[in-house]
Amino acid sequence: MEKIERETNYCLNCKIKPCANKGCPLGNQIPEFIQQIKQGNDQKAYEILSETTVLPGICGRICPHEKQCQGSCVRGIKGNPVSIGELEVFVFDKAMEKGQTLKEIWKNKIEKTKKVAIVGGGPAGLTAAAFLAKKGVRVTIYEKYDYLGGLLIHGIPEFRLSKQIVKQTIENILALGIEVKYRQEIGKNLALEDLEKRYDAIFLAFGANCSSKMGVEGEELEGVYGGNELLEYHLHPNYVGKTVAVIGGGNVAMDCARTVKRLGAKEVKVIYRRAKEQMPAEQKEIKEAIEEGVEFLFQNNIVKIMGNKKVEEVELIRTKLVQKEGETRLIPVNIQNSNYKIKVDDIIMALGANPAPFVKDLGLHLTKWGNIAINEKYQTSNPKIYAGGDLAGVKGTVAWAAYSGREAAKNIIKVIEKEAY
């Protein structure tokens, strides 16, 4: 509690609020909720947070704060920023401890006859469901697993995000009167056409979790895995005593590397073609990975993977960073004749993810990257169907996914209200 008091006193309560207006994807009223903690009003602090987010206990723990709210904190210009994530966690945990709920805060008594289907129960879907239910919309979530949470459950390891926190968050949201139908998957036992007939609007939020490939020679060898699939399905091979290379620099790469190390790998090497400062992963995650014995090979690129049926070696080439005209950041360029080889037993590709192949058969317009194309209202080429999160190519953080769900819900509500009168 002493640290919480110190952090709330440290906040300058800025009028311009760059932490909220520039740094937070959700636009959380950060100085306002911090001032309420300072005054000893934890309940009011939670009410303020709940105006913009239903995932404070999650975002407070896993958001890349140094790139978002804390990265924009005025205090950070000459010193350390306010620990905004920690304060957000404090508020959520206190609310759960006291039994404070969204249902109690929002008092959603308006009942409408309109119905909305949400396909996918991850951050975007859960957030959309909550903000729709807040306005009295009858919401049904269709989920392919027998649990909700999406990547919050199967994409983020327990050591980074407690499943109990996710469960508390989900229970808080479902208490708004949201119906859930489990083991429902488009293309198998769920048809988009059927949902269109039965609901006034549909929000697609089932993510994009098929690992991207590099397209290098040897990628088809046994022992080359997709990071997203390993985390989602827990189909890890036996890493004990092995050397494992993880390709990529985002949080999925960090989660894979740290998980593999915990599962007994002798050596784990993260290979990233840019510099440490350019890694999209949180610096905290990188620091903890290093402390756990993960080795980083910065400014290295893969040339090819070698082996007789099974991975045995990987050929790397060193890179230099150059400024190219029209580019906002330094671009890695291979250094000629700097090739070398390292022995590895397994390789995990953690370079990003794409939507599942069946998405192209939904009859909706796609972007050139294969994501579902949406307009500024999160509508797809079918105006009755909306999409958000990774599926629609929204920036890949939980907060941005949640933002897309909230904003899609707002736009759906506008249409529903027009149709109701």
Side-chain angles (χ1 to χ4, degrees):
M1 193 62 195
E2 185 181 325
K3 187 176 182 187
I4 296 298
E5 290 177 5
R6 187 167 65 248
E7 289 297 323
T8 56
N9 289 325
Y10 189 52
C11 174
L12 295 172
N13 193 21
C14 303
K15 289 184 179 179
I16 56 171
K17 302 186 286 190
C19 55
N21 299 329
K22 178 185 173 185
C24 179
L26 286 158
N28 292 338
Q29 299 173 62
I30 293 168
E32 288 85 350
F33 94 76
I34 291 176
Q35 290 310 302
Q36 291 300 322
I37 303 173
K38 187 176 180 179
Q39 293 166 26
N41 196 344
D42 305 334
Q43 184 169 332
K44 183 62 178 176
Y46 183 56
E47 289 176 12
I48 290 171
L49 273 174
S50 297
E51 290 176 22
T52 50
T53 180
V54 293
L55 307 176
I58 291 168
C59 289
R61 286 173 164 87
I62 65 168
C63 263
H65 303 110
E66 69 227 11
K67 292 184 175 72
Q68 294 180 170
C69 56
Q70 291 174 200
S72 298
C73 177
V74 171
R75 279 291 195 184
I77 296 172
K78 293 184 178 180
N80 293 321
V82 176
S83 297
I84 298 166
E86 193 170 339
L87 294 175
E88 194 175 357
V89 166
F90 170 79
V91 169
F92 175 80
D93 289 354
K94 276 288 183 184
M96 294 303 98
E97 185 184 310
K98 294 177 179 178
Q100 194 178 1
T101 64
L102 290 170
K103 185 177 181 180
E104 173 192 310
I105 293 169
W106 286 351
K107 297 180 175 60
N108 55 321
K109 295 177 181 177
I110 306 168
E111 289 293 337
K112 288 187 173 71
T113 57
K114 297 294 184 179
K115 300 187 297 181
V116 174
I118 293 176
V119 185
L126 288 168
T127 300
F131 280 94
L132 286 165
K134 181 182 182 180
K135 293 295 185 179
V137 177
R138 293 167 63 189
V139 181
T140 303
I141 299 175
Y142 290 84
E143 170 58 52
K144 75 173 183 176
Y145 292 112
D146 58 3
Y147 59 86
L148 294 176
L151 65 84
L152 301 175
I153 293 291
H154 55 240
I156 301 175
E158 177 75 24
F159 60 79
R160 205 153 73 84
L161 177 64
S162 163
K163 302 297 180 282
Q164 180 59 31
I165 296 298
V166 180
K167 183 181 177 183
Q168 281 183 318
T169 299
I170 292 170
E171 288 174 350
N172 195 18
I173 291 169
L174 294 186
L176 295 167
I178 295 161
E179 181 184 15
V180 184
K181 293 185 181 294
Y182 295 101
R183 297 194 176 280
Q184 300 288 308
E185 188 171 358
I186 288 182
K188 292 187 177 179
N189 57 352
L190 185 66
L192 199 53
E193 298 81 7
D194 291 341
L195 294 179
E196 232 184 310
K197 292 173 187 174
R198 293 161 49 202
Y199 292 89
D200 299 288
I202 300 163
F203 181 57
L204 303 179
F206 49 83
N209 211 36
C210 295
S211 293
S212 301
K213 293 183 179 294
M214 285 194 72
V216 297
E217 182 183 337
E219 200 166 7
E220 75 290 344
L221 289 172
E222 182 186 336
V224 180
Y225 303 95
N228 296 75
E229 290 82 359
L230 287 179
L231 292 174
E232 179 170 358
Y233 301 111
H234 302 288
L235 297 175
H236 292 280
N238 181 3
Y239 300 117
V240 176
K242 292 183 177 180
T243 297
V244 181
V246 178
I247 318 302
N251 280 332
V252 172
M254 295 305 97
D255 289 342
C256 286
R258 296 177 68 189
T259 298
V260 167
K261 192 68 177 170
R262 282 169 165 76
L263 290 174
K266 181 183 177 183
E267 292 182 299
V268 179
K269 301 176 187 288
V270 172
I271 299 168
Y272 183 57
R273 61 185 182 144
R274 292 184 168 91
K276 179 183 177 183
E277 296 71 32
Q278 294 178 305
M279 289 187 82
E282 269 195 276
Q283 290 303 310
K284 180 183 75 172
E285 300 301 321
I286 299 167
K287 179 176 178 289
E288 289 178 0
I290 292 171
E291 289 171 353
E292 291 167 13
V294 174
E295 181 185 352
F296 285 77
L297 301 179
F298 296 111
Q299 291 184 232
N300 276 273
N301 208 353
I302 287 191
V303 177
K304 63 180 177 180
I305 302 166
M306 296 163 289
N308 181 16
K309 292 187 179 179
K310 170 76 173 64
V311 173
E312 296 173 16
E313 289 183 314
V314 60
E315 182 178 337
L316 304 177
I317 188 168
R318 292 185 173 88
T319 67
K320 60 182 177 181
L321 302 173
V322 300
Q323 185 70 59
K324 288 191 175 182
E325 189 176 347
E327 296 288 348
T328 57
R329 65 173 180 168
L330 296 172
I331 302 300
V333 175
N334 294 344
I335 299 172
Q336 198 170 2
N337 300 322
S338 65
N339 305 51
Y340 67 102
K341 298 174 184 177
I342 60 172
K343 292 189 179 298
V344 294
D345 299 293
D346 292 305
I347 294 176
I348 298 173
M349 295 293 181
L351 301 155
N354 302 305
F358 74 81
V359 169
K360 66 180 183 295
D361 301 322
L362 295 180
L364 301 172
H365 292 171
L366 305 180
T367 68
K368 63 181 180 180
W369 298 282
N371 301 98
I372 291 180
I374 54 173
N375 63 17
E376 69 282 356
K377 295 179 180 179
Y378 292 88
Q379 280 177 306
T380 68
S381 52
N382 181 334
K384 192 175 180 179
I385 302 174
Y386 297 70
D390 291 341
L391 179 64
V394 171
K395 293 178 184 178
T397 69
V398 169
W400 280 111
Y403 173 82
S404 73
R406 188 188 73 192
E407 297 307 296
K410 287 181 181 178
N411 287 304
I412 290 170
I413 289 162
K414 285 177 186 176
V415 173
I416 286 173
E417 286 178 341
K418 283 181 183 177
E419 292 174 351
Y421 299 101

